Amino acid sequence: IPFESLTLEELETYAKADSVNDFYYTASLTLNGNDTFNPIENSNSMGCGGIQMNQSDFTIIGYSSKEAMQDFDFNSGSNSIIEGNLFSFDSTNECMISEELALYNEIEVGDTITLVATEEDSKTYTLTVCGIYNQAISTDRFMQRNDPANQIDTNTLTIDALKENVSQEPTVNGTYLFASVEDYEAFEEQARKLGLSDEYVIQSNDLNAYEQSLIPLNRLSEYAKIFLIVILIIGAAILIIFHFLRMRERKYEIGV
């Protein structure tokens, strides 16, 4: 694991490798609400000894494309839009929020939400809610901003607009898609030539999961081969014995 995350510019550089079939990414910031827009509070946001930890209210996640939204049902995900529509990837002020957060703040599609960088920051950032979605809420709510219900979804253009006014660099996560395992295996050499340091390890969680899923199938295949060989041996032995018994009854004829 590298000590420093790759920047968006670096991720886009390695996406130019011939083996890469597609590339998308997400960028996230953490911001606070105000008197009219509050996060869903939880009882687990305490530090050691019961001291309140400094934390932001919301995580703002920007998606570079529809394909990057793996959690939504149009990509066989768990979340589904129940009101309104998906935000436009060409706009800079639309967003979607969870049904739980919308009910908590009495927000409907078309309303606006107001965010600030810190409690001391007087400058506000306004987004229009274009959609409300239902989601599988995680039971792990250690910090408010990590609560899935306090996540605000938008596009990367909005994140770019927000980061110009806040003293915070977005956290970027990129995903490369490959057409085949061979392309994935060829990617490392191509990425190294494009400047990827040897400190970084290239691996695929999907490929690892796929290879792990093959282990029981391979074992079953081995057992099936052994079983088939045993059946063939037994069958051959029965045929030999059967013909031997028939030959004993016809020794004279066979001899003639």
Side-chain angles (χ1 to χ4, degrees), residues 219-233:
R219 288 177 179 173
L220 181 61
S221 176
E222 292 297 326
Y223 294 151
K225 289 179 181 178
I226 295 173
F227 182 73
L228 177 61
I229 293 173
V230 171
I231 292 297
L232 290 175
I233 292 174

Side-chain angles (χ1 to χ4, degrees), residues 13-50:
T13 296
Y14 309 137
K16 297 177 182 178
D18 294 336
S19 58
V20 176
N21 189 47
D22 194 12
F23 168 72
Y24 54 74
Y25 68 95
T26 63
S28 61
L29 293 170
T30 57
L31 295 174
N32 291 322
N34 63 358
D35 295 336
T36 61
F37 184 56
N38 299 295
I40 297 175
E41 298 180 356
N42 59 80
S43 59
N44 295 325
S45 58
M46 302 295 290
C48 298

Side-chain angles (χ1 to χ4, degrees), residues 106-251:
E106 298 181 351
I107 292 176
E108 297 179 352
V109 173
D111 292 346
T112 58
I113 58 175
T114 303
L115 303 169
V116 295
T118 63
E119 294 181 358
E120 297 78 18
D121 191 353
S122 59
K123 188 171 182 179
T124 60
Y125 313 93
T126 302
L127 299 177
T128 301
V129 177
C130 65
I132 297 174
Y133 61 89
N134 188 15
Q135 64 179 167
I137 301 295
S138 172
T139 57
D140 183 11
R141 293 182 167 182
F142 179 71
M143 299 181 69
Q144 286 177 181
R145 69 185 181 196
N146 292 333
D147 186 341
N150 290 329
Q151 176 179 307
I152 300 173
D153 295 332
T154 183
N155 56 41
T156 51
L157 290 179
T158 301
I159 297 295
D160 291 339
L162 289 174
K163 77 175 183 179
E164 296 297 330
N165 300 300
V166 298
S167 57
Q168 181 183 160
E169 195 65 28
T171 300
V172 178
N173 291 305
T175 300
Y176 299 103
L177 299 183
F178 304 94
S180 64
V181 176
E182 290 74 18
D183 287 340
Y184 165 75
E185 294 172 345
F187 172 69
E188 180 167 3
E189 181 180 355
Q190 296 172 2
R192 301 296 184 198
K193 291 181 178 179
L194 290 171
L196 180 64
S197 171
D198 292 336
E199 295 179 354
Y200 293 85
V201 177
I202 296 177
Q203 61 182 3
S204 170
N205 292 333
D206 290 339
L207 182 59
N208 292 338
Y210 170 73
E211 291 176 343
Q212 289 296 321
S213 68
L214 290 180
I215 293 177
L217 294 177
N218 291 333
R219 288 177 179 173
L220 181 61
S221 176
E222 292 297 326
Y223 294 151
K225 289 179 181 178
I226 295 173
F227 182 73
L228 177 61
I229 293 173
V230 171
I231 292 297
L232 290 175
I233 292 174
I234 294 175
I238 292 174
L239 287 175
I240 292 172
I241 294 173
F242 176 75
H243 286 289
F244 178 74
L245 293 175
R246 293 192 62 185
M247 290 172 62
R248 288 185 61 184
E249 297 174 357
R250 303 173 60 190
K251 287 191 291 183

